[in-house]
Amino acid sequence: MFIAAIARPHINATDEVLWDGKIGIFPFTETHYAVRRSENRPVGTATLRAITRVTRDILRDKLITEVLPAIRSKWPANGVKDIWIQQDNAKPHILINDHAFNEEAKKDGFNIRLVCQPASSPDMNILDLGLFSALQSIQFKSFPKDLNDLIKAVNDAYDTFEPKLLNYTWIQYQLCMIEVLKAKGGNNYKNPHIGKQRLDRLGMLPRQLEIPQELIDAARQFLSHGIINLNDLPQDD
């Protein structure tokens, strides 16, 4: 199991990648030492093993000791330091008000906060929307023989993943968010396509997608249904 962290890459008007948006991909492993001599290794030999059951404590430690330091070290010098980390709703994930995480997330002028992915909404996750499937297709070509080979293959796939493709994923994320608004918060929509590579070749690929005002108004009206205004309730004498 791995935990990955990515942000939107910085690509200027001349198609130059100023920052690739890659924070890191971190395996859940632990080091064991051989307690008995064998034909393959002497006593005390260090071996790497996968952590097969990731608990909330393990995940918290991974975030604090590896992910947050990687964000601080790789974040662009001119980047805004108010950062949201989105996580899905898997049980091992820490709570958004986790004290130890929040204390560490405020170091060095950063204001890093957690937010949870909307339930039953895989398209609202950048990793699931593009990165993981792309990494799998690259990694499967390497035929790793053991855990060390697997970790190297995943890291190599992550390192070679094109920042442009990552930027396409962020645009796709915006497209899906618009479809969610049209579906009134539901997920009964088809994943939209606009021909991002073609638009990019023509220099017409948008960075931000505009949301029609009528769609915003319709979403607000839908959200307002069922909301009780406390001022309209009868008051006790």
Side-chain angles (χ1 to χ4, degrees):
M1 188 180 296
F2 293 79
I3 183 171
I6 56 173
R8 187 168 189 179
H10 294 182
I11 302 175
N12 65 15
T14 61
D15 218 26
E16 179 186 4
V17 178
L18 305 178
W19 181 57
D20 62 11
K22 298 177 184 178
I23 304 298
I25 187 164
F26 312 92
F28 285 94
T29 58
E30 54 189 355
T31 302
H32 283 255
Y33 297 90
V35 295
R36 295 184 180 85
R37 180 182 177 277
S38 70
E39 295 181 359
N40 299 320
R41 55 181 179 268
V43 174
T45 300
T47 58
L48 197 65
R49 294 184 183 179
I51 297 176
T52 57
R53 183 174 178 269
V54 176
T55 64
R56 182 167 291 178
D57 290 338
I58 291 173
L59 187 52
R60 179 188 297 107
D61 182 70
K62 180 71 69 174
L63 288 170
I64 290 176
T65 62
E66 297 190 53
V67 176
L68 289 179
I71 292 174
R72 290 193 290 263
S73 66
K74 296 183 178 181
W75 201 253
N78 60 344
V80 176
K81 292 189 175 182
D82 288 315
I83 300 170
W84 292 91
I85 297 178
Q86 186 192 63
Q87 59 181 6
D88 62 25
N89 296 287
K91 287 184 179 180
H93 282 299
I94 65 175
L95 302 177
I96 60 174
N97 59 352
D98 186 272
H99 177 74
F101 173 88
N102 289 334
E103 285 297 310
E104 188 69 21
K106 296 174 184 176
K107 289 185 176 180
D108 300 331
F110 283 85
N111 181 25
I112 304 174
R113 288 164 284 180
L114 290 171
V115 63
C116 289
Q117 169 189 337
S120 303
S121 303
D123 293 340
M124 297 294 99
N125 186 318
I126 289 290
L127 300 176
D128 290 336
L129 196 57
L131 179 68
F132 281 159
S133 59
L135 292 189
Q136 275 190 327
S137 65
I138 299 173
Q139 176 258 312
F140 281 162
K141 299 175 183 178
S142 61
F143 301 104
K145 297 178 181 179
D146 55 27
L147 181 59
N148 289 304
D149 282 351
L150 174 62
I151 293 173
K152 183 180 184 304
V154 172
N155 284 328
D156 289 346
Y158 183 85
D159 291 339
T160 58
F161 187 68
E162 286 289 338
K164 269 193 174 184
L165 297 179
L166 184 55
N167 187 50
Y168 293 166
T169 304
W170 283 90
I171 295 172
Q172 190 65 29
Y173 183 52
Q174 296 178 45
L175 286 167
C176 290
M177 292 177 74
I178 292 175
E179 294 302 312
V180 169
L181 288 175
K182 292 179 181 177
K184 295 182 171 60
N187 56 11
N188 53 331
Y189 60 86
K190 292 183 179 180
N191 206 314
H193 298 283
I194 60 171
K196 293 182 286 294
Q197 290 184 342
R198 180 181 62 83
L199 291 175
D200 199 8
R201 288 194 302 268
L202 296 173
M204 300 171 59
L205 184 68
R207 175 170 176 80
Q208 304 290 346
L209 298 181
E210 183 176 350
I211 304 176
Q213 184 61 48
E214 58 268 22
L215 180 57
I216 296 174
D217 294 339
R220 285 176 173 167
Q221 184 178 6
F222 176 74
L223 289 173
S224 67
H225 290 170
I227 296 178
I228 299 174
N229 187 341
L230 296 181
N231 293 325
D232 293 337
L233 294 177
Q235 302 295 318
D236 294 332
D237 294 334

